[in-house]
Amino acid sequence: MFARGVVVLLVFVISGQCVLRKDRQYWEELGANEIEEALAIKNNLGVAKNVILFIGDGMGAHTVTAARIHKGGEGHRLSFEKFPHIGLLKTYSADKMVPDSASTATALLGGVKTNHKTLGVDASVSNGDCEASLRPEAKVESLAAHALRAGKGAGFVTTMRVTHATPAPVYAFSSDRNWECDALTPANCKDIARQMIEDWPGRDLNVILGGGRQSLIPNATALENDPLSNWACSRKDGRNLIEDYKKNKKSRGLNYTFVNNTEQLKSIPEDTDYLFGIFANAHLPYEFQRTPESPSIVDMTEAAIKVLQRNENGFFLMVEGGNIDMGHHRGRARTAIDEALAMEEAVKLAYNMTDPSDTLIVVTSDHAHSMTINGHPNRGDDIFGTVGPSRADGLNYTTIAYGTGGPGSRQYEIQVVNGTNQIVRRDPIQDDTTDFMYEQISAITLDENKHGGGDVGVYASGPYSHLFHNVHEQHYVYYAISYAARMGKYAERPTVSGAFSMQAHLLLYFMSLLLVLIAVI
C-alpha cells in the first residue's frame, strides 16, 4: 500500500525534454493509488485538544485550482488538499446572496449567519444599528471565547489589520465592520480596537498578530515602506491602545511580549504567555513586496503556535490569509495566487508543528471571488499566460479573467481603423501577464473587483475531521469544531476514543457470533 502523501510524478525527463505523462498506464496507476489512499483513512474519534482554523480570505475554488497549477502543475496537490476529509460551504449571509467578510467570519467563528457588514452579532442587528448591537442577547460568542472558557489558550494571526472584518468576530461585537476606531464609531458604541484591548475575550487572547497600527495609536506616521491607508480608521481620541495593553498585562502580573518586526517576533522569550505584534500601519504588505522587517504569515503562525503550546489544555488559533482577497480586489491574479501559496506554507508548518492525533486543522475560505479559468490552454501552460486567438476579434486573451474588475482592468485602447478612432481590445501578448501587478481583464468595470457567491471548499485533518463530508452551511464549521474540541454547547458531550470504538466493534462482532452459534445449537 502506498503511504499517505505519495506524490506521483507528472513530469519526467526523456532525452533532456520535459514530457507530461498521459499514457493509459499512468492514469490506471493514479486511480489505483487514490483508491488505496482512500481505503487507508480511519476516522479519528479523539478529542481535539488543539484547533487551528485557516481562513483564506477570498480563496474560492478557482483560486485553489490556480494555486495548485502554478505551484506544481495540473496534477499537483496542495498540502491541505491531501487532508483526508473535505466538503463545501454555502457562503450566503442572512441578507445577501454574495456576502462580505464580516458576516461570513461571524458564521465561521460564531455559529450564526448574520447581516452584511455586521460582526459578532446575530441577524436581529442591522448594519449601522448601534443600539441593537449592545443588546446582550444579540451578541454571539466566538470559538476563541469558548476556548478560553475551557481553560485553553486562544488567539489569531492575520495579514490584515487586527481590527479588520475577518479577525474582529474573534473578540468584538459591532453592527458595522468599519467602526475599527473611535473616529467612525457612534458615541454610544465602543470601537472594535477598544473592544480588543479592554473587553473580554479580546483582553485575554494569548496571541494577537497582524497590522492596523493607525487604529490603535494617535497620530500614526507614514513610513517609506509602511504608508497610512485611506481605507483604515485613524484614532482621534488620543488613546494609545498598545500602551494600554502593556499596562493591563503588567497590572495582572502576566508574562507578555510586544513586537513590531520580524527580528523581535523570532526572538520572543520562551516564557511568553501573551504575544501582541503589530507590524504595519494598515495591512501587511503582499508577500512579493515584503521586506525583512515585515514577518510572513508563516513566521507569525510559527510564533503563535509556540506561545499557545505552553497551555497544557490546548488552544484555538485562527489564521487569516487576508491578502488573497486584497489581490483579487485589485484584479491581480498572480498576487492573489502567490498569497494563497504563502498561506499553504503556513498550513504545512502548522501540521508539522502539531500532532494530527489531537489537533484539528481546518482550512477554508469566507467567500469566493469572480475569477475564472478560461479557454483551452494546453496542459503545462503557464496559468497566467494567454490563449487564443478569439474568433471574434482575432486577439489572444488571458487564461484567467474576472467577472467584475476595477479601472485597471480596462484593457482596451483607441486605434485608428480605416481613418476613424475605434476602441479595440488590447492584445495581452503585448504585456507581461505573469507580472504581480498585471490586472486581468474583466467583463464589467466597477470601482474594484467584487466578491463571488460560489461555494468554497473546507479541508480538515485531525479529530472528528470526518464531520466535514458534504455540502454544509457555512456556520456549520463552528458546530463541527465545537463538537470536536468539546467546547461551547458540546463541552459536556461524552467522549469516545478511537481505541474504545474499535473494542466496542469487536465486542459487538463476537456477541453477534455467539448469538448465531446459540441459535444453531
Side-chain angles (χ1 to χ4, degrees):
M1 181 178 291
F2 287 83
R4 177 185 171 202
V6 168
V7 177
V8 179
L9 293 178
L10 295 180
V11 181
F12 64 98
V13 177
I14 297 179
S15 303
Q17 293 185 335
C18 198
V19 179
L20 293 169
R21 280 194 64 184
K22 48 189 176 182
D23 57 277
R24 178 171 177 169
Q25 181 183 359
Y26 166 73
W27 301 116
E28 290 176 345
E29 290 175 353
L30 190 63
N33 290 342
E34 288 199 34
I35 285 292
E36 292 194 18
E37 182 180 316
L39 292 173
I41 294 173
K42 306 297 181 186
N43 291 343
N44 181 343
L45 301 179
V47 175
K49 176 182 176 182
N50 311 310
V51 176
I52 307 175
L53 172 61
F54 284 90
I55 302 176
D57 200 317
M59 191 179 72
H62 286 170
T63 302
V64 175
T65 300
R68 176 202 309 145
I69 293 172
H70 180 55
K71 185 169 185 177
E74 291 83 354
H76 179 69
R77 284 195 296 175
L78 302 175
S79 59
F80 55 83
E81 291 184 300
K82 300 174 186 176
F83 283 4
H85 300 285
I86 68 170
L88 292 174
L89 302 181
K90 296 181 282 186
T91 63
Y92 69 93
S93 64
D95 62 341
K96 295 286 185 179
M97 180 190 300
V98 180
D100 80 314
S101 293
S103 59
T104 50
T106 299
L108 291 167
L109 294 160
V112 299
K113 294 212 173 195
T114 191
N115 294 321
H116 196 58
K117 294 187 176 181
T118 66
L119 56 90
V121 293
D122 63 24
S124 69
V125 180
S126 299
N127 179 221
D129 190 341
C130 170
E131 298 301 325
S133 69
L134 299 176
R135 292 184 292 105
E137 63 270 23
K139 299 179 179 180
V140 295
E141 286 194 349
S142 72
L143 291 167
H146 292 323
L148 292 175
R149 289 193 189 281
K152 297 176 180 290
F156 69 88
V157 164
T158 180
T159 56
M160 300 288 94
R161 300 186 296 270
V162 294
T163 51
H164 201 238
T166 300
V170 170
Y171 58 83
F173 315 95
S174 178
S175 61
D176 196 320
R177 59 178 284 177
N178 294 319
W179 295 349
E180 295 185 49
C181 76
D182 63 298
L184 299 177
T185 308
N188 292 344
C189 278
K190 183 179 288 190
D191 63 77
I192 293 169
R194 282 186 59 196
Q195 290 188 56
M196 182 180 71
I197 299 299
E198 298 176 356
D199 299 345
W200 191 87
R203 65 168 180 256
D204 282 349
L205 293 174
N206 300 89
V207 174
I208 300 173
L209 297 176
R213 187 182 300 108
Q214 71 185 84
S215 295
L216 300 171
I217 67 173
N219 304 315
T221 57
L223 301 175
E224 181 179 358
N225 294 318
D226 187 18
L228 296 175
S229 172
N230 293 330
W231 291 73
C233 184
S234 297
R235 298 209 72 80
K236 303 297 183 184
D237 59 5
R239 297 280 301 275
N240 188 321
L241 298 183
I242 293 177
E243 291 303 315
D244 288 351
Y245 174 93
K246 296 176 181 178
K247 291 176 184 177
N248 175 271
K249 298 300 180 286
K250 286 180 181 177
S251 69
R252 296 162 64 190
L254 302 175
N255 295 327
Y256 79 93
T257 301
F258 174 76
V259 295
N260 59 24
N261 59 50
T262 305
E263 182 179 359
Q264 293 176 0
L265 181 68
K266 291 188 174 183
S267 58
I268 61 175
E270 292 184 359
D271 64 349
T272 298
D273 293 317
Y274 294 85
L275 176 61
F276 189 19
I278 300 296
F279 308 103
N281 280 317
H283 299 323
L284 270 64
Y286 293 121
E287 185 68 18
F288 80 95
Q289 294 176 327
R290 190 169 56 83
T291 65
E293 290 74 28
S294 181
S296 68
I297 189 172
V298 174
D299 296 331
M300 293 189 290
T301 301
E302 180 178 17
I305 293 175
K306 286 181 178 178
V307 170
L308 292 169
Q309 284 178 330
R310 288 175 50 78
N311 190 318
E312 62 182 13
N313 295 320
F315 63 84
F316 169 80
L317 173 65
M318 188 279 285
V319 180
E320 181 201 13
N323 271 327
I324 303 169
D325 184 62
M326 292 297 105
H328 279 316
H329 275 304
R330 305 298 173 263
R332 299 167 187 164
R334 174 71 186 274
T335 296
I337 300 312
D338 190 56
E339 293 297 321
L341 291 174
M343 194 188 80
E344 188 227 1
E345 289 299 316
V347 174
K348 189 184 304 182
L349 174 133
Y351 185 87
N352 291 333
M353 286 185 69
T354 55
D355 185 346
S357 69
D358 67 5
T359 301
L360 172 63
I361 298 180
V362 178
V363 181
T364 189
S365 177
D366 50 353
H367 59 78
H369 264 275
S370 66
M371 191 193 89
T372 60
I373 302 174
N374 309 284
H376 299 279
N378 291 322
R379 184 173 163 211
D381 282 356
D382 193 327
I383 189 69
F384 304 112
T386 61
V387 290
S390 165
R391 293 180 181 178
D393 58 14
L395 300 175
N396 293 315
Y397 52 96
T398 53
T399 299
I400 290 178
Y402 287 92
T404 59
S409 65
R410 294 174 181 167
Q411 293 172 31
Y412 294 87
E413 56 190 11
I414 298 176
Q415 292 183 5
V416 178
V417 180
N418 297 327
T420 61
N421 290 339
Q422 294 188 16
I423 298 176
V424 299
R425 188 165 63 86
R426 179 180 175 83
D427 194 328
I429 65 171
Q430 300 178 63
D431 305 310
D432 182 4
T433 59
T434 67
D435 189 87
F436 285 101
M437 301 299 286
Y438 180 80
E439 297 183 24
Q440 272 76 10
I441 197 168
S442 65
I444 305 170
T445 301
L446 303 171
D447 58 325
E448 66 171 356
N449 291 34
K450 301 301 183 182
H451 293 173
D455 294 351
V456 298
V458 56
Y459 312 80
S461 170
Y464 280 93
S465 57
H466 57 281
L467 292 180
F468 299 99
H469 65 101
N470 61 19
V471 180
H472 303 287
E473 296 288 351
Q474 188 168 41
H475 68 295
Y476 172 79
V477 172
Y478 164 93
Y479 291 93
I481 289 176
S482 297
Y483 190 91
R486 296 184 75 235
M487 301 191 308
K489 67 179 296 182
Y490 298 110
E492 303 302 323
R493 75 164 176 84
T495 60
V496 180
S497 70
F500 176 82
S501 177
M502 180 61 71
Q503 291 170 1
H505 283 299
L506 289 174
L507 181 60
L508 288 173
Y509 172 77
F510 285 116
M511 287 180 64
S512 300
L513 184 60
L514 180 60
L515 289 173
V516 170
L517 291 174
I518 292 174
V520 171
I521 295 173

